[in-house]
């Protein structure tokens, strides 16, 4: 029911209540029938389920099966090592779990803990959970409103509703019935649960409790939203399936080909299949990806962007749209005098200084003053003037019923009345010609068209010592002030850089249309001519809204439901959506978005808990820096995956080649795991520290529909794996003795990895460039690998554990020669491929122009 359309009497009748409140019996009966005033709690996922899901990844299941088969055949040590790898990867995945579902706790804290209600005319204190429909609640300054109320009596009541509307200025309330449809921010005869009484007092009848309140509706939206799967997680699942299919195809090929050709026994095929599984699954990859993401999280924290879930780091880099709240995010959240229209500047400043209620002493510093944002803006505007306060002889406080404020002061032998308020009201009371009145009205409309709130100023000299409303006629009109919450300079710069990076910026605000349009033009949004308001969205089906959101960058007078619908509509258009916000009203949209971004300083606890990232400095520009970091991290993740997979495929191909040639298995599972879990991780560590490329923030966001590996990546993986496998295998087979062959093969793979890691630093550009020497971790990784391999090849303990033997200098030089050949072939291929892709891009560009 639209309670704001009901009169006080109609509301009380429909709730079967009266101004003296309910009896104890009535309250108890309603509480029993309708339940307590609290929001429902969603059942939490049990801890064991959270842990178990990280062991149900496709490749992890394959490794678990391989370990169990090893146990079944009595190879306990090798089975134990494989199983240990699974456990480590599973728990690493658990620790990078996405954000905890804490939003409900924050919402529960927003609701008042106690309330004062009338019980048969007598005020009593009750727990807020015991409130029922029909209760008469008494409000005073500083109270958190405990339920949704239809106001029935108000005394200079203003309520700060930013948690619901996002707008910081307190709203003056009335009890008058509203006939037109109105959004929550325009329902002036209502008081909503969780909002704060700033000034005055009131009484209201409870019309909604618990889940039926506006906060309850936000909670319902939060609990119903499914956690978004990040693009990286989707791509890794896709990659795992590709690796699994590849392993399956090769195992089937082995089973049929070798059995028919050589009549090989099933025991050997069984061992070969397990070796193939262990070889081709990049066991160390999850740990390396987690390491790179965690380094990104730390770097972003240093830049004031606190990431709550590691996969969100990569999601930032794939964002295509940023939906931003206005107040406090794009703007300063600080009302400021933007323009003055006057011919009597000293006098208008005198009125600003004295016709106000915040500053009471000349020595008060402006930083110490708090209160009404409009008066604070006026005082800040004149702060440097060091004007002296005049003693206040009488005062008429501001009220929305008459829309002005007046103060009386002594001046010479008479008195002067200073007045500020709505320009149309002051002009009606002014002694002024019609022509002058029209000029002032036109100037006021010009300011309002820029989204500014317009105040008028006037004065009157009188002999009377009594200040009354009737005395305020024949005013001298002095001028106008345009006040607005201006955009941050950093936000203007950030919007420009985001657009250069191919990211669309949209503003979603609860403010009025004119203000939203003015701010959007100042910060440089693209589509500002058409603005959708909340009422427009209410009349649009989801399909129509999805079509509209691409052509509209500004949304005004929005509710939490509107914000949620806008984000969902963008996602239906396959956009990767980032949503910023600071109020409770933003929480559902923050949770629905692919990357929710909350304000750390001015943000509510609920918005922080619902978000994936918190800006510690409340600076929109920090988002752009985070996007750059996200793109850098994805580039490095892609380099790491491209580095991992050729080695895994090379080891698998070596197993297959040995079986095709009817030879024993060339590497043991322990040696394979040494490569996959130790040397590969050691080398890939360096790739996580590669700097962002020159084009990181000038190229468009990547297409999330594409897999993590392109056709070119598959080509690179295939030929590099052959370049590692063929020379290494045939070099090893020239020597006698299984230990020597395995050592040469192992050393060849590791050195091949080392040089190929350097190749992977750049996709097409030369690997040895200026930035090569800036990555100190690259040299550290190579140094650690050198020490590890020395220990494995030459120390008795390493030889015993891994199954290796010492190599001669000649053997080492031949292995090094093969590795250097691999490096130069890959560098040559990169140069050729770069030219091919460049010509292809020119052809496509020329075709598009035609």
């Amino acid at each position: 029911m639209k309670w704001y359309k009901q009169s006080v009497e109609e509301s009380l009748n429909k709730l079967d209540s009266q101004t003296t409140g309910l009896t104890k019996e009535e309250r108890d009966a309603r509480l029993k029938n309708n339940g307590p005033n609290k929001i429902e709690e969603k059942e939490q996922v049990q801890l064991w389920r959270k842990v178990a899901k990280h062991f149900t990844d496709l490749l992890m299941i394959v490794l678990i099966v391989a370990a169990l088969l090893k146990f079944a055949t009595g190879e306990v040590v090798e089975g134990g090592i494989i199983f240990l790898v699974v456990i480590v990867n599973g728990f690493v995945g658990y620790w990078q779990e996405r954000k905890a579902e804490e939003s409900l706790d924050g919402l529960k804290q927003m609701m008042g803990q106690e309330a004062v209600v009338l019980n048969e005319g007598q005020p009593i204190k009750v727990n807020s959970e015991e409130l029922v429909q029909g209760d008469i609640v008494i409000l005073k300054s500083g109270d958190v409103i405990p339920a949704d109320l239809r106001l029935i009596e108000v005394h200079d009541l203003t309520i700060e509703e930013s948690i619901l509307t996002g707008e910081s200025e307190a709203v003056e309330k009335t009890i008058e019935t509203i006939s037109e449809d109105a959004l929550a921010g325009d329902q002036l005869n209502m008081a909503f649960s969780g909002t704060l009484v700033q000034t005055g007092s009131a009484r209201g009848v409870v019309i909604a409790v618990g889940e039926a309140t506006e906060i309850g509706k936000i909670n319902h939206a939060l609990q119903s939203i499914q956690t978004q799967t990040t693009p990286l997680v989707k791509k890794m699942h896709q990659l795992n399936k590709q690796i699994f299919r590849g392993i399956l195809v090769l195992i089937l090929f082995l089973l049929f080909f070798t059995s028919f050709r050589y009549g090989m026994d099933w025991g050997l095929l069984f061992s070969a299949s397990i070796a193939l599984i262990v070889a081709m699954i990049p066991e160390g990859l999850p740990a390396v990806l987690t390491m790179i993401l965690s380094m990104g999280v730390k770097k972003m924290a240093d830049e004031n962007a606190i990431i709550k879930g590691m996969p969100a780091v990569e999601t930032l880099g794939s964002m295509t749209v940023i939906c931003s709240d206005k107040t406090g995010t794009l703007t300063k959240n600080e009302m400021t005098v933007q323009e003055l229209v006057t011919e009597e500047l000293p006098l208008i400043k005198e009125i600003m200084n004295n016709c106000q209620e915040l500053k009471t002493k000349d020595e008060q510093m402006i930083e110490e003053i708090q209160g009404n944002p409009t008066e604070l803006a006026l005082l800040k505007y004149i702060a440097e003037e060091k004007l002296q306060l005049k003693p206040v002889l009488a005062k008429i406080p501001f009220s929305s019923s008459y829309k002005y404020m007046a103060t009386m002061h002594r001046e010479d032998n008479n008195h002067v009345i200073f007045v500020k308020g709505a320009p149309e009201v002051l002009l009606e009371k002014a002694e002024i010609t019609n022509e002058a009145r029209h000029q002032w009205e036109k100037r006021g409309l010009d300011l309002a068209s820029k989204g500014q709130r317009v105040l008028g100023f006037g004065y009157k000299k009188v002999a009377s010592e009594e200040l009354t409303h009737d005395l305020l006629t024949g005013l001298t009109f002095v001028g106008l002030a345009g006040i607005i919450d201006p955009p941050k300079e950093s936000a203007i710069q950030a919007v420009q850089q985001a657009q250069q990076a191919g990211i669309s910026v949209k503003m979603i605000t609860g403010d009025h249309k004119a203000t939203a349009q003015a701010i959007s033009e100042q910060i440089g949004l693209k589509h500002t001519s058409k603005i959708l308001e909340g009422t427009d969205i209410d009349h649009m089906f989801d399909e129509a809204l999805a079509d509209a959101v691409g052509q509209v960058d500004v949304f005004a007078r929005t509710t939490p439901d509107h914000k949620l619908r806008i984000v969902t509509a963008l996602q239906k258009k396959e956009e990767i959506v980032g949503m910023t916000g600071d109020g409770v009203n933003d929480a559902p949209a923050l949770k629905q978005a692919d990357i929710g971004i909350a304000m750390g300083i001015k943000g509510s606890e609920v918005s922080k808990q619902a978000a994936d990232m918190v800006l510690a400095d409340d600076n929109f520009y920090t988002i752009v820096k985070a996007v750059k970091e996200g793109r850098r991290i994805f580039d490095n993740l892609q380099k790491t995956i491209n580095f991992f997979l050729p080695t895994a495929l090379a080891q698998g191909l070596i197993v297959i080649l040995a079986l095709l040639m009817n030879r024993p298995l060339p590497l043991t599972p322990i040696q394979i795991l040494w490569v996959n879990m130790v040397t590969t991780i050691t080398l890939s560590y360096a790739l996580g520290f590669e700097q962002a490329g020159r084009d990181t923030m000038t190229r468009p966001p990547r297409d999330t529909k594409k897999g993590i590996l392109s056709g070119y990546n598959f080509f690179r993986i295939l030929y590099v794996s052959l370049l590692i496998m063929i020379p290494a295998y045939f070099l090893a087979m020239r020597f006698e003795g299984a230990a020597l062959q395995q050592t040469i093969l192992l050393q060849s793979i590791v050195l091949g990895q080392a040089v190929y890691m350097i190749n992977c630093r750049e996709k097409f550009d030369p690997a040895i460039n200026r930035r090569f020497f800036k990555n100190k971790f690259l040299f550290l990784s190579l140094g650690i690998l050198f020490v590890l391999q020395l220990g494995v090849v030459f120390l008795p303990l390493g030889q015993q554990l891994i199954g290796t033997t010492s190599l001669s200098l000649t053997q080492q030089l031949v292995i090094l020669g093969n590795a250097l050949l691999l490096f130069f072939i890959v560098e040559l291929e990169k140069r050729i491929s770069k030219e091919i892709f460049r010509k292809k891009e020119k052809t496509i560009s020329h075709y598009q122009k035609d």
Side-chain angles (χ1 to χ4, degrees):
M1 179 179 291
K2 296 178 179 178
W3 290 97
Y4 60 89
K5 288 189 174 184
Q6 309 295 313
S7 68
V8 171
E9 293 76 17
E10 288 171 337
S11 298
L12 290 170
N13 288 336
K14 288 182 178 179
L15 292 165
D16 196 16
S17 183
Q18 50 192 342
T19 56
T20 55
L22 303 174
T23 65
K24 185 179 185 306
E25 292 74 18
E26 286 174 322
R27 296 190 72 257
D28 290 343
R30 294 187 187 193
L31 186 61
K32 183 178 180 181
N33 291 334
N34 302 323
N37 174 35
K38 65 178 183 179
I39 54 181
E40 294 178 7
E41 189 169 350
K42 187 178 180 181
E43 186 179 349
Q44 297 297 307
V45 179
Q46 294 173 309
L47 178 62
W48 71 269
R49 290 183 182 274
K50 291 180 180 180
V51 175
K53 74 176 183 178
H54 295 285
F55 294 92
T56 55
D57 179 83
L58 181 60
L59 296 187
M60 289 299 103
I61 292 173
V62 173
L63 282 176
I64 290 170
V65 171
L68 293 175
L69 291 174
K70 278 289 183 183
F71 286 137
T73 55
E75 299 177 27
V76 178
V77 175
E78 292 180 349
I81 292 172
I82 297 171
F83 202 65
L84 181 62
V85 168
V86 173
I87 292 172
V88 169
N89 278 334
F91 278 101
V92 164
Y94 171 71
W95 287 116
Q96 69 168 17
E97 179 67 277
R98 294 209 62 188
K99 63 179 179 291
E101 299 294 330
E102 299 168 338
S103 304
L104 177 65
D105 295 332
L107 278 169
K108 287 166 74 175
Q109 292 168 13
M110 297 301 304
M111 303 182 78
Q113 300 300 307
E114 286 187 329
V116 177
V117 301
L118 288 180
N119 185 1
E120 297 183 272
Q122 297 300 312
I124 60 169
K125 264 189 182 180
V126 297
N127 189 301
S128 63
E129 290 191 2
E130 297 175 9
L131 287 177
V132 296
Q133 275 190 316
D135 263 332
I136 304 298
V137 178
I138 300 174
L139 301 174
K140 66 180 186 305
S141 179
D143 283 351
V144 174
I145 295 169
D148 285 1
L149 312 176
R150 168 62 166 95
L151 296 170
I152 62 174
E153 180 184 323
V154 296
H155 303 281
D156 298 323
L157 179 70
T158 61
I159 297 179
E160 198 263 295
E161 298 181 331
S162 62
I163 66 162
L164 291 177
T165 65
E167 301 310 311
S168 57
E169 191 165 357
V171 180
E172 185 162 359
K173 296 293 185 175
T174 73
I175 63 169
E176 302 302 320
T177 305
I178 299 171
S179 57
E180 302 294 326
D181 285 344
L183 299 173
D186 297 320
Q187 294 173 19
L188 301 181
N189 55 16
M190 298 288 294
F192 299 107
S193 178
T195 59
L196 177 68
V197 178
Q198 192 175 85
T199 62
S201 60
R203 294 185 181 189
V205 60
V206 175
I207 55 94
V209 296
E211 290 291 302
T213 63
E214 290 299 312
I215 276 189
K217 292 172 186 175
I218 292 173
N219 172 64
H220 180 74
L222 275 171
Q223 302 304 324
S224 62
I225 293 169
Q226 297 296 317
T227 303
Q228 300 296 310
T229 304
T230 66
L232 178 63
V233 173
K234 291 177 183 176
K235 287 183 176 68
M236 290 309 299
H237 287 162
Q238 182 182 354
L239 179 63
N240 288 347
K241 289 178 182 178
Q242 290 171 334
I243 294 172
F244 177 73
R245 291 192 194 104
I247 293 171
L248 202 59
V249 168
L250 291 176
I251 288 175
L252 290 174
F253 172 76
L254 279 179
L255 289 174
F256 285 100
F257 184 85
T258 56
S259 296
F260 282 116
R261 181 161 184 179
Y262 299 114
M264 203 171 290
D265 66 89
W266 289 101
L268 183 57
L269 280 174
F270 179 73
S271 298
S273 297
I274 292 177
L276 188 61
I277 289 170
V278 175
M280 290 195 63
I281 292 179
E283 293 90 349
L285 188 56
V288 172
L289 296 185
T290 300
M291 175 192 67
I292 293 174
L293 288 171
S294 63
M295 288 190 296
V297 167
K298 184 180 182 304
K299 187 170 182 180
M300 285 187 180
D302 294 338
E303 296 286 351
N304 293 312
I306 312 301
I307 301 294
K308 294 175 64 181
M310 279 193 276
V313 177
E314 182 273 336
T315 310
L316 276 164
S318 59
M319 258 200 310
T320 59
V321 177
I322 301 175
C323 295
S324 176
D325 187 29
K326 176 182 72 67
T327 307
T329 308
L330 296 172
T331 64
K332 297 177 180 178
N333 196 20
E334 184 180 284
M335 299 302 287
T336 304
V337 176
Q338 195 81 355
E339 293 184 58
L340 270 186
V341 182
T342 183
E343 294 178 1
E344 300 183 60
L345 188 59
L347 182 54
I348 201 171
K349 289 181 177 179
E350 195 73 34
I351 299 172
M352 288 180 181
N353 190 52
N354 290 283
C355 190
Q356 50 85 24
E357 296 181 292
L358 299 184
K359 188 175 181 180
T360 57
K361 297 178 181 177
D362 288 325
E363 58 269 21
Q364 268 183 284
M365 300 296 291
I366 192 68
E367 295 81 11
E368 300 171 357
I369 302 173
Q370 293 183 342
N372 184 285
T374 301
E375 288 196 350
L376 200 55
L378 300 177
L379 290 173
K380 285 182 178 178
Y381 183 74
I382 59 170
E384 294 183 3
E385 303 288 331
K386 305 295 183 184
L387 298 175
Q388 298 295 307
L389 289 170
K390 295 177 180 289
V392 179
L393 304 179
K395 177 172 63 176
I396 298 176
F398 180 86
S399 171
S400 60
S401 60
Y402 45 83
K403 297 184 179 179
Y404 59 78
M405 175 186 180
T407 54
M408 179 180 280
H409 312 271
R410 190 176 303 280
E411 187 173 89
D412 299 328
N413 295 324
N414 281 324
H415 300 93
V416 64
I417 301 171
F418 290 151
V419 187
K420 78 168 189 285
E424 65 274 15
V425 175
L426 269 61
L427 285 169
E428 282 294 322
K429 293 179 175 291
E431 196 172 282
I432 192 171
T433 65
N434 285 334
E435 184 180 352
R437 186 192 310 277
H438 291 319
Q439 285 297 320
W440 283 118
E441 288 173 348
K442 183 180 178 183
R443 291 170 179 175
L445 287 172
D446 287 342
L447 296 179
S449 68
K450 299 175 185 177
Q452 298 174 24
R453 182 184 176 191
V454 186
L455 276 180
F457 299 86
Y459 74 97
K460 182 181 180 181
K461 291 185 177 181
V462 294
S464 171
E465 294 187 3
E466 185 179 356
L467 179 58
T468 64
H469 291 283
D470 294 336
L471 198 59
L472 300 180
T473 56
L475 297 176
T476 301
F477 195 81
V478 178
L480 301 167
I483 301 173
I484 198 170
D485 180 13
K488 299 174 182 175
E489 290 299 323
S490 59
I492 297 172
Q493 184 183 0
V495 168
Q496 183 182 12
Q497 291 191 13
Q499 291 170 344
Q500 286 176 349
I503 302 170
S504 174
V505 180
K506 298 183 184 294
M507 186 171 77
I508 308 175
T509 178
D511 212 337
H512 293 277
K513 182 176 180 178
T515 306
Q517 187 166 33
I519 296 297
S520 68
E521 290 173 352
Q522 289 179 47
I523 63 175
L525 298 190
K526 289 186 176 179
H527 306 111
T528 60
S529 58
K530 183 179 179 181
I531 295 176
L532 278 183
E533 293 186 273
T535 50
D536 301 323
I537 296 171
D538 286 335
H539 293 100
M540 298 175 76
F541 291 110
D542 290 344
E543 294 76 15
L545 182 60
D547 291 335
V549 288
Q551 306 303 318
V552 177
D553 282 352
V554 187
F555 302 86
R557 301 309 281 166
T558 57
T559 65
D561 184 57
H562 296 142
K563 295 182 180 186
L564 184 58
R565 285 190 66 197
I566 291 166
V567 170
T568 305
L570 287 165
Q571 289 173 327
K572 284 184 179 178
K573 301 292 285 186
E574 298 186 340
E575 304 281 4
I576 302 299
V577 184
M579 171 73 194
T580 74
D582 56 5
V584 174
N585 61 317
D586 298 319
L590 288 173
K591 189 174 179 183
Q592 174 66 36
D594 298 283
I595 177 80
I597 306 165
M599 302 297 112
I601 299 173
K602 296 177 180 175
S604 67
E605 198 61 31
V606 179
S607 66
K608 294 176 193 176
Q609 291 166 352
D612 301 278
M613 182 172 87
V614 178
L615 301 183
D617 57 359
D618 282 16
N619 193 338
F620 189 81
Y621 187 69
T622 302
I623 300 173
V624 176
K625 291 192 287 186
V627 168
K628 182 177 181 180
E629 181 64 14
R631 290 188 176 189
R632 182 192 74 86
I633 287 168
F634 182 78
D635 289 344
N636 291 346
L637 290 174
Q638 204 163 35
K639 291 172 187 176
T640 303
I641 291 168
N642 287 331
F643 163 67
F644 253 90
L645 296 184
T647 305
L649 181 57
Q651 291 176 109
L653 291 175
I654 287 171
V655 172
I656 291 170
L657 184 62
L659 292 173
L660 292 179
M661 297 180 68
N662 202 17
R663 301 290 296 267
L665 293 177
L667 291 174
T668 66
I670 291 176
Q671 290 168 343
I672 291 171
L673 288 172
W674 171 262
V675 173
N676 288 355
M677 291 298 294
V678 180
T679 64
T680 311
I681 290 177
T682 302
L683 288 169
S684 58
Y685 183 72
L687 293 174
F689 288 94
E690 284 296 311
Q691 296 178 355
R694 291 187 298 270
D695 67 338
T696 300
M697 290 301 286
T698 56
R699 66 178 189 245
R702 65 183 178 277
D703 186 353
T704 55
K705 289 183 287 186
K706 292 182 179 179
I708 208 162
L709 297 177
S710 64
Y712 170 72
N713 294 138
F714 281 112
F715 163 70
R716 168 83 74 84
I717 289 166
L718 180 60
Y719 90 79
V720 170
S721 64
L722 292 173
L723 286 175
I724 293 174
M725 180 267 289
I726 293 172
Y729 184 78
F730 286 103
L731 175 64
M733 293 305 106
R734 289 175 54 191
F735 298 92
E736 296 295 330
L740 181 58
Q741 289 177 349
Q742 290 171 349
T743 305
I744 290 173
L745 198 52
L746 184 68
Q747 189 77 334
S748 296
I749 292 172
V750 170
L751 279 182
Q753 280 184 311
V755 298
Y756 184 59
M757 182 271 287
I758 298 172
N759 289 129
C760 286
R761 290 188 58 255
E762 301 285 354
K763 185 174 182 179
F764 292 122
D765 293 334
I768 309 297
N769 52 24
R770 288 183 180 180
R771 291 191 299 163
F772 174 79
F773 299 98
K774 292 181 180 179
N775 188 350
K776 62 182 180 181
F777 292 97
L778 187 145
F779 300 99
L780 179 64
S781 293
L782 291 173
I784 292 172
L785 179 69
F786 180 74
V787 172
L788 287 173
Q789 283 303 112
L790 277 180
V792 165
V793 174
F794 294 105
L795 292 181
L797 180 61
Q799 293 174 344
Q800 186 176 355
L801 287 173
I802 307 300
T804 55
T805 188
S806 298
L807 298 177
S808 67
L809 179 61
T810 304
Q811 291 166 341
Q812 293 276 29
L813 289 174
V814 173
I815 292 170
L816 179 61
N818 285 340
L820 292 175
L821 180 63
L822 166 66
F823 177 81
F824 288 117
I825 291 174
V826 173
E827 287 299 297
L828 179 63
E829 176 272 314
K830 283 162 62 177
R831 172 176 275 188
I832 295 169
S833 296
K834 184 177 182 178
E835 288 301 316
I836 293 172
F837 279 103
R838 184 179 293 170
K839 288 179 181 178
K840 187 178 179 181
E841 286 175 2
K842 285 182 179 179
T843 304
I844 293 171
S845 177
H846 180 73
Y847 176 78
Q848 288 174 341
K849 287 180 181 178
D850 292 344

